[in-house]
Short mmCIF file of all heavy atoms in Angstrom, two decimals:
data_model
loop_
_atom_site.label_atom_id
_atom_site.label_comp_id
_atom_site.label_asym_id
_atom_site.label_seq_id
_atom_site.Cartn_x
_atom_site.Cartn_y
_atom_site.Cartn_z
N PRO A 321 47.91 -60.44 -23.65
CA PRO A 321 47.74 -59.50 -22.58
C PRO A 321 47.98 -58.09 -23.01
O PRO A 321 47.46 -57.15 -22.46
CB PRO A 321 48.73 -60.00 -21.50
CG PRO A 321 49.69 -60.75 -22.37
CD PRO A 321 48.94 -61.42 -23.42
N ALA A 322 48.78 -57.91 -24.09
CA ALA A 322 48.99 -56.53 -24.53
C ALA A 322 48.00 -56.10 -25.61
O ALA A 322 48.30 -55.11 -26.26
CB ALA A 322 50.43 -56.40 -25.06
N GLY A 323 46.95 -56.92 -25.80
CA GLY A 323 45.97 -56.55 -26.84
C GLY A 323 46.33 -56.91 -28.23
O GLY A 323 45.69 -56.57 -29.17
N ARG A 324 47.41 -57.74 -28.33
CA ARG A 324 47.84 -58.16 -29.63
C ARG A 324 47.28 -59.53 -29.94
O ARG A 324 47.15 -60.35 -29.10
CB ARG A 324 49.38 -58.20 -29.67
CG ARG A 324 50.00 -56.82 -29.77
CD ARG A 324 51.43 -56.80 -29.69
NE ARG A 324 52.01 -57.20 -28.34
CZ ARG A 324 53.30 -56.99 -28.01
NH1 ARG A 324 54.13 -56.53 -28.92
NH2 ARG A 324 53.70 -57.35 -26.79
N LEU A 325 47.01 -59.86 -31.19
CA LEU A 325 46.42 -61.10 -31.66
C LEU A 325 47.57 -62.11 -31.51
O LEU A 325 48.68 -61.90 -31.82
CB LEU A 325 45.97 -60.99 -33.04
CG LEU A 325 44.64 -60.16 -33.26
CD1 LEU A 325 44.26 -60.11 -34.71
CD2 LEU A 325 43.48 -60.81 -32.41
N GLY A 326 47.11 -63.39 -31.14
CA GLY A 326 48.07 -64.46 -31.14
C GLY A 326 48.48 -64.91 -32.50
O GLY A 326 47.62 -64.70 -33.52
N LEU A 327 49.52 -65.62 -32.70
CA LEU A 327 50.04 -66.03 -33.97
C LEU A 327 49.63 -67.46 -34.08
O LEU A 327 49.92 -68.36 -33.29
CB LEU A 327 51.51 -65.92 -34.00
CG LEU A 327 52.24 -66.62 -35.16
CD1 LEU A 327 51.85 -65.93 -36.48
CD2 LEU A 327 53.70 -66.62 -34.99
N SER A 328 48.81 -67.77 -35.10
CA SER A 328 48.42 -69.17 -35.37
C SER A 328 49.53 -69.86 -36.08
O SER A 328 50.13 -69.36 -37.04
CB SER A 328 47.12 -69.22 -36.22
OG SER A 328 46.07 -68.71 -35.57
N LEU A 329 49.91 -71.00 -35.57
CA LEU A 329 51.05 -71.79 -36.14
C LEU A 329 50.55 -73.21 -36.43
O LEU A 329 50.01 -73.87 -35.58
CB LEU A 329 52.21 -71.84 -35.20
CG LEU A 329 53.42 -72.56 -35.65
CD1 LEU A 329 54.12 -71.91 -36.78
CD2 LEU A 329 54.39 -72.76 -34.49
N HIS A 330 50.72 -73.60 -37.65
CA HIS A 330 50.30 -74.98 -38.08
C HIS A 330 51.51 -75.80 -38.33
O HIS A 330 52.44 -75.35 -39.08
CB HIS A 330 49.40 -74.85 -39.29
CG HIS A 330 48.29 -73.98 -39.18
ND1 HIS A 330 47.19 -74.26 -38.37
CD2 HIS A 330 48.05 -72.70 -39.73
CE1 HIS A 330 46.34 -73.25 -38.41
NE2 HIS A 330 46.89 -72.26 -39.16
N PHE A 331 51.60 -76.91 -37.67
CA PHE A 331 52.87 -77.69 -37.60
C PHE A 331 52.57 -79.11 -38.17
O PHE A 331 52.13 -79.99 -37.50
CB PHE A 331 53.41 -77.82 -36.16
CG PHE A 331 54.59 -78.52 -36.08
CD1 PHE A 331 55.79 -77.91 -36.36
CD2 PHE A 331 54.62 -79.81 -35.52
CE1 PHE A 331 57.03 -78.59 -36.24
CE2 PHE A 331 55.82 -80.52 -35.49
CZ PHE A 331 57.02 -79.95 -35.84
N PRO A 332 52.90 -79.34 -39.51
CA PRO A 332 52.81 -80.64 -40.05
C PRO A 332 53.94 -81.60 -39.45
O PRO A 332 55.05 -81.12 -39.31
CB PRO A 332 52.98 -80.48 -41.53
CG PRO A 332 52.81 -79.01 -41.74
CD PRO A 332 53.31 -78.36 -40.44
N ARG A 333 53.49 -82.83 -39.21
CA ARG A 333 54.45 -83.81 -38.48
C ARG A 333 54.43 -85.14 -39.28
O ARG A 333 53.31 -85.65 -39.42
CB ARG A 333 54.09 -83.90 -37.09
CG ARG A 333 54.96 -85.02 -36.38
CD ARG A 333 54.62 -85.08 -34.91
NE ARG A 333 53.26 -85.40 -34.67
CZ ARG A 333 52.75 -86.65 -34.57
NH1 ARG A 333 53.57 -87.68 -34.77
NH2 ARG A 333 51.54 -86.93 -34.36
N SER A 334 55.50 -85.59 -39.73
CA SER A 334 55.62 -86.87 -40.27
C SER A 334 57.08 -87.37 -40.03
O SER A 334 57.82 -86.68 -39.33
CB SER A 334 55.35 -86.91 -41.82
OG SER A 334 56.32 -86.00 -42.50
N CYS A 335 57.41 -88.56 -40.61
CA CYS A 335 58.83 -88.97 -40.41
C CYS A 335 59.83 -88.08 -40.96
O CYS A 335 59.58 -87.40 -42.02
CB CYS A 335 58.94 -90.34 -41.08
SG CYS A 335 60.68 -90.98 -41.00
N LEU A 336 60.86 -87.80 -40.16
CA LEU A 336 61.91 -86.83 -40.59
C LEU A 336 63.14 -87.50 -41.25
O LEU A 336 64.08 -86.86 -41.64
CB LEU A 336 62.37 -86.06 -39.37
CG LEU A 336 61.24 -85.48 -38.54
CD1 LEU A 336 61.75 -84.90 -37.20
CD2 LEU A 336 60.60 -84.30 -39.40
N HIS A 337 63.04 -88.80 -41.41
CA HIS A 337 64.14 -89.56 -42.16
C HIS A 337 65.46 -89.25 -41.59
O HIS A 337 66.36 -88.76 -42.34
CB HIS A 337 63.99 -89.37 -43.66
CG HIS A 337 62.70 -89.84 -44.21
ND1 HIS A 337 62.37 -91.17 -44.54
CD2 HIS A 337 61.51 -89.15 -44.33
CE1 HIS A 337 61.16 -91.30 -44.90
NE2 HIS A 337 60.68 -90.04 -44.85
N CYS A 338 65.65 -89.49 -40.17
CA CYS A 338 66.85 -89.06 -39.59
C CYS A 338 68.14 -89.71 -40.09
O CYS A 338 68.04 -90.89 -40.61
CB CYS A 338 66.75 -89.37 -38.10
SG CYS A 338 65.33 -88.58 -37.26
N GLU A 339 69.16 -89.01 -40.01
CA GLU A 339 70.49 -89.66 -40.37
C GLU A 339 70.88 -90.70 -39.34
O GLU A 339 71.34 -91.73 -39.67
CB GLU A 339 71.59 -88.52 -40.40
CG GLU A 339 71.62 -87.72 -41.66
CD GLU A 339 72.04 -88.46 -42.90
OE1 GLU A 339 73.24 -88.83 -43.04
OE2 GLU A 339 71.15 -88.83 -43.72
N GLN A 340 70.68 -90.39 -38.07
CA GLN A 340 70.97 -91.30 -36.98
C GLN A 340 69.71 -91.88 -36.48
O GLN A 340 69.13 -91.53 -35.44
CB GLN A 340 71.79 -90.64 -35.89
CG GLN A 340 73.10 -90.03 -36.37
CD GLN A 340 73.98 -90.99 -36.98
OE1 GLN A 340 74.09 -92.15 -36.49
NE2 GLN A 340 74.69 -90.65 -37.97
N ALA A 341 68.88 -92.58 -37.30
CA ALA A 341 67.62 -92.99 -37.02
C ALA A 341 67.50 -94.09 -35.86
O ALA A 341 67.92 -95.25 -36.13
CB ALA A 341 66.96 -93.54 -38.25
N ALA A 342 67.10 -93.71 -34.73
CA ALA A 342 66.94 -94.65 -33.63
C ALA A 342 65.92 -95.73 -33.85
O ALA A 342 66.05 -96.83 -33.38
CB ALA A 342 66.69 -93.89 -32.28
N CYS A 343 64.97 -95.43 -34.61
CA CYS A 343 63.89 -96.40 -34.98
C CYS A 343 64.43 -97.47 -35.76
O CYS A 343 63.94 -98.73 -35.68
CB CYS A 343 62.76 -95.69 -35.76
SG CYS A 343 63.32 -95.05 -37.40
N VAL A 344 65.56 -97.28 -36.48
CA VAL A 344 66.20 -98.40 -37.23
C VAL A 344 67.18 -99.23 -36.36
O VAL A 344 67.10 -100.44 -36.32
CB VAL A 344 67.04 -97.84 -38.39
CG1 VAL A 344 67.88 -98.86 -39.06
CG2 VAL A 344 66.12 -97.15 -39.45
N THR A 345 67.91 -98.47 -35.49
CA THR A 345 68.96 -99.34 -34.69
C THR A 345 68.25 -100.15 -33.66
O THR A 345 69.00 -101.07 -33.17
CB THR A 345 69.94 -98.25 -34.09
OG1 THR A 345 69.23 -97.33 -33.32
CG2 THR A 345 70.76 -97.54 -35.20
N VAL A 346 67.10 -99.77 -33.20
CA VAL A 346 66.47 -100.65 -32.17
C VAL A 346 65.71 -101.84 -32.80
O VAL A 346 65.30 -102.66 -32.10
CB VAL A 346 65.45 -99.80 -31.33
CG1 VAL A 346 66.24 -98.66 -30.64
CG2 VAL A 346 64.31 -99.28 -32.10
N CYS A 347 65.56 -101.84 -34.09
CA CYS A 347 64.69 -102.85 -34.69
C CYS A 347 65.35 -104.27 -34.65
O CYS A 347 66.46 -104.41 -35.09
CB CYS A 347 64.44 -102.50 -36.22
SG CYS A 347 63.43 -103.74 -37.06
N PRO A 348 64.66 -105.20 -33.94
CA PRO A 348 65.30 -106.51 -33.81
C PRO A 348 65.36 -107.39 -35.01
O PRO A 348 65.96 -108.43 -35.04
CB PRO A 348 64.48 -107.14 -32.63
CG PRO A 348 63.12 -106.55 -32.88
CD PRO A 348 63.29 -105.16 -33.39
N THR A 349 64.53 -107.06 -36.01
CA THR A 349 64.43 -107.98 -37.14
C THR A 349 65.09 -107.45 -38.44
O THR A 349 65.00 -108.17 -39.48
CB THR A 349 62.98 -108.37 -37.42
OG1 THR A 349 62.25 -107.12 -37.82
CG2 THR A 349 62.30 -108.84 -36.19
N GLY A 350 65.45 -106.16 -38.51
CA GLY A 350 65.88 -105.55 -39.69
C GLY A 350 64.79 -105.10 -40.54
O GLY A 350 64.97 -104.68 -41.76
N ALA A 351 63.45 -105.05 -40.02
CA ALA A 351 62.37 -104.59 -40.80
C ALA A 351 62.49 -103.15 -41.08
O ALA A 351 62.16 -102.61 -42.18
CB ALA A 351 61.05 -104.88 -40.13
#
Side-chain angles (χ1 to χ4, degrees):
R324 288 177 285 194
L325 290 176
L327 170 67
S328 292
L329 180 68
H330 307 288
F331 182 78
R333 174 176 60 86
S334 61
C335 175
L336 304 171
H337 300 276
C338 300
E339 282 292 289
Q340 305 299 323
C343 59
V344 170
T345 56
V346 301
C347 181
T349 67

